[in-house]
Amino acid sequence: MGMTKGQLPKWVDYGLLPALNLIAAFAVSGLVVVLIGEDPFEAVKWMLFGSWGYGEGVGFTLFYTTNFIFTGLAVAVAFHAGLFNIGGEGQAYIGGLGIAVACLAFDAYVPWYITGLFAIVGGATFGAAWALIPAYLQAKRGSHIVITTIMFNFIATTLMVYLLSNVLRPQGSMQPSTRTFTEGGQLPLLRNIWPSLDLGQSPVNLSFFLALIVCVLVWYLIWRSKLGYEIRAFGANPTASVYAGISPVRITVITMLISGGLAGLMGMNEVMGSQNRLLLDFTAGYGFVGIAVALMGRGHPIGIILASILFGSLYQGGAELAFEIPAITRDMIVVIQALVILFAGALENLFRPAVVAFFNRFSDEAAA
């Protein structure tokens, strides 16, 4: 089969194993639904209908998918360098600040597409800047990137509370948020561009296509560029990469800057595309779910898109399920999402030994 012993075909590693993890997660979720006295097949029916059964549900699914693509890509890029960036939540939060600053500065003077360019630069720059200090501490001081990025999530939250309560809040308003952007600072909604799509009142907007473009750029960066090769080499073997002339400090800092910039772009969907203002807690945990998305997608942009669609379906379908079957509360939906994250993350290699043994035996029989 052209494989060394213990090696799996790519379609198995990137397709079959994640599918097995997903099936196991839903099987356990089905048992939870049975324990509360409900029909798991009925629950699946409503979840699928809520996410893909009508136009507005599809729109909300794609809206959530957009957030997960950005945060999943951010985590995946750091993974390739052997870095565990847990700070996507804070980097997305601060990135939203950069987007809001651009919108507040230009929305009254230029069209949305000009403001959007400045917002993209602002979101990526602010997100990257928030990742810079943890990157420097990891590269120069040996501070663990997991600890520092987690700490910076809390610092970002505190900073945004201060800014939105005391600096950016319009005079006379009691709500901790910026003013609403004018038309020059609002990304067009897909339902307004293509009314025939029948997306209801969903907030899915042009940032969905921006996320797909970023996927292509990340693919080119990681697998077709010299920098991407250095990132992957450093992640595979830091010691050997030093002998190859790759600077650990340079790769750590650059990779984290890219990762933070990608997380910062998530605000394009929420701040400029949906809310049209900067609000408290607009990230809503998307940065943490991005970790599971990157793991389930095996760090590849195509896998991340598919995993993002899955989690987008869980978010939107879960809301429909909780409405149609009141016994399955929002907390139960969170449990189902957590089980998917558990099997995609902590139990990622649960089925790998058995699958490897099967393919090894198959290879031996074919060789014989």
Side-chain angles (χ1 to χ4, degrees), residues 99-120:
I99 292 167
V101 169
C103 291
L104 292 171
F106 297 105
D107 65 344
Y109 306 103
V110 296
W112 66 265
Y113 48 86
I114 302 297
T115 305
L117 295 176
F118 287 102
I120 290 172

Side-chain angles (χ1 to χ4, degrees), residues 88-174:
E89 188 83 357
Q91 292 150 17
Y93 215 171
I94 300 300
L97 174 63
I99 292 167
V101 169
C103 291
L104 292 171
F106 297 105
D107 65 344
Y109 306 103
V110 296
W112 66 265
Y113 48 86
I114 302 297
T115 305
L117 295 176
F118 287 102
I120 290 172
V121 173
T125 301
F126 275 54
W130 201 248
L132 176 60
I133 295 178
Y136 174 83
L137 293 175
Q138 163 85 12
K140 299 291 287 185
R141 301 296 182 185
S143 301
H144 203 289
I145 198 75
V146 171
I147 303 301
T148 53
T149 50
I150 288 177
M151 292 171 60
F152 267 65
N153 287 334
F154 293 102
I155 297 173
T157 300
T158 304
L159 176 63
M160 292 295 285
V161 169
Y162 171 78
L163 290 176
L164 289 175
S165 300
N166 299 281
V167 180
L168 298 174
R169 178 168 56 88
Q171 188 174 6
S173 172
M174 297 299 292

Side-chain angles (χ1 to χ4, degrees), residues 54-333:
Y54 61 105
E56 187 167 339
V58 172
F60 272 99
T61 298
L62 295 179
F63 173 75
Y64 296 131
T65 296
T66 304
N67 289 332
F68 296 137
I69 288 176
F70 283 123
T71 57
L73 288 173
V75 176
V77 168
F79 276 170
H80 284 294
L83 302 170
F84 206 170
N85 180 14
I86 310 295
E89 188 83 357
Q91 292 150 17
Y93 215 171
I94 300 300
L97 174 63
I99 292 167
V101 169
C103 291
L104 292 171
F106 297 105
D107 65 344
Y109 306 103
V110 296
W112 66 265
Y113 48 86
I114 302 297
T115 305
L117 295 176
F118 287 102
I120 290 172
V121 173
T125 301
F126 275 54
W130 201 248
L132 176 60
I133 295 178
Y136 174 83
L137 293 175
Q138 163 85 12
K140 299 291 287 185
R141 301 296 182 185
S143 301
H144 203 289
I145 198 75
V146 171
I147 303 301
T148 53
T149 50
I150 288 177
M151 292 171 60
F152 267 65
N153 287 334
F154 293 102
I155 297 173
T157 300
T158 304
L159 176 63
M160 292 295 285
V161 169
Y162 171 78
L163 290 176
L164 289 175
S165 300
N166 299 281
V167 180
L168 298 174
R169 178 168 56 88
Q171 188 174 6
S173 172
M174 297 299 292
Q175 185 177 10
S177 69
T178 64
R179 65 168 174 83
T180 301
F181 309 143
T182 62
E183 188 175 349
Q186 301 178 11
L187 283 179
L189 301 175
L190 296 191
R191 69 172 190 255
N192 295 332
I193 300 176
W194 294 293
S196 60
L197 290 178
D198 186 25
L199 296 174
Q201 296 302 307
S202 63
V204 60
N205 54 79
L206 284 181
S207 60
F208 173 71
F209 297 105
L210 174 63
L212 298 181
I213 293 171
V214 171
C215 283
V216 176
L217 295 177
V218 169
W219 171 82
Y220 183 85
L221 167 69
I222 298 299
W223 281 279
R224 290 294 183 271
S225 70
K226 178 177 179 290
L227 175 60
Y229 173 79
E230 293 177 342
I231 290 173
R232 288 185 290 118
F234 179 74
N237 194 324
T239 304
S241 66
V242 171
Y243 285 99
I246 298 174
S247 168
V249 174
R250 171 176 166 271
I251 291 299
T252 299
V253 172
I254 290 178
T255 303
M256 284 299 296
L257 289 177
I258 296 172
S259 179
L262 290 170
L265 288 177
M266 195 210 84
M268 292 296 294
N269 190 41
E270 288 283 344
V271 176
M272 190 177 180
S274 172
Q275 302 293 342
N276 300 137
R277 53 181 174 164
L278 184 62
L279 297 167
L280 284 178
D281 300 324
F282 75 86
T283 50
Y286 296 126
F288 295 115
V289 178
I291 299 170
V293 169
L295 287 170
M296 179 168 283
R298 294 298 192 268
H300 194 284
I302 293 178
I304 287 170
I305 291 173
L306 296 176
S308 298
I309 292 173
L310 168 66
F311 279 94
S313 301
L314 287 174
Y315 265 60
Q316 172 57 23
E320 186 78 21
L321 176 60
F323 178 78
E324 296 292 342
I325 306 180
I328 302 178
T329 63
R330 286 296 302 172
D331 292 334
M332 290 287 298
I333 304 303

